[in-house]
């Protein structure tokens, strides 16, 4: 099983529930769905519109998750 690093973008309701605010966090997983699933465990239940984007390089250096 090889884990990869993902930037997960999602939205949460603001304090008055009148608008959705964008949020993003880093997460690891086997694939994008796995990374989203791991992040959902620690976000608000009403978070939505999740998207995962793999991060393979940072400033020209390859990212390896061990």
């Amino acid at each position: 099983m090889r884990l990869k690093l993902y930037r997960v973008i999602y939205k949460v309701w603001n304090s008055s529930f009148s608008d959705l605010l964008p949020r993003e966090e880093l997460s690891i997983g086997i694939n994008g769905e796995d990374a989203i699933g791991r992040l959902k465990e620690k976000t608000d239940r009403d978070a939505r519109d999740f998207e995962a984007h793999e991060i393979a390089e940072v400033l020209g250096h390859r990212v390896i998750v061990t």
Side-chain angles (χ1 to χ4, degrees):
M1 168 174 57
R2 183 161 182 241
L3 296 173
K4 297 178 183 177
L5 179 65
Y6 290 89
R7 182 178 125 221
V8 180
I9 302 168
Y10 61 98
K11 295 181 181 176
V12 295
W13 288 105
N14 65 4
S15 59
S16 63
F17 296 100
S18 62
D19 197 14
L20 290 169
L21 302 172
R23 298 282 186 256
E24 64 180 61
E25 291 191 45
L26 297 177
S27 182
I28 59 169
I30 299 168
N31 54 37
E33 291 178 11
D34 184 38
I36 289 171
R38 291 171 190 250
L39 184 60
K40 279 184 177 181
E41 294 175 2
K42 62 180 206 169
T43 59
D44 294 335
R45 284 187 295 150
D46 62 348
R48 58 188 64 209
D49 300 334
F50 287 87
E51 295 179 23
H53 304 278
E54 183 180 351
I55 299 174
E57 290 186 6
V58 175
L59 296 173
H61 297 277
R62 189 168 41 127
V63 174
I64 299 173
V65 180
T66 58

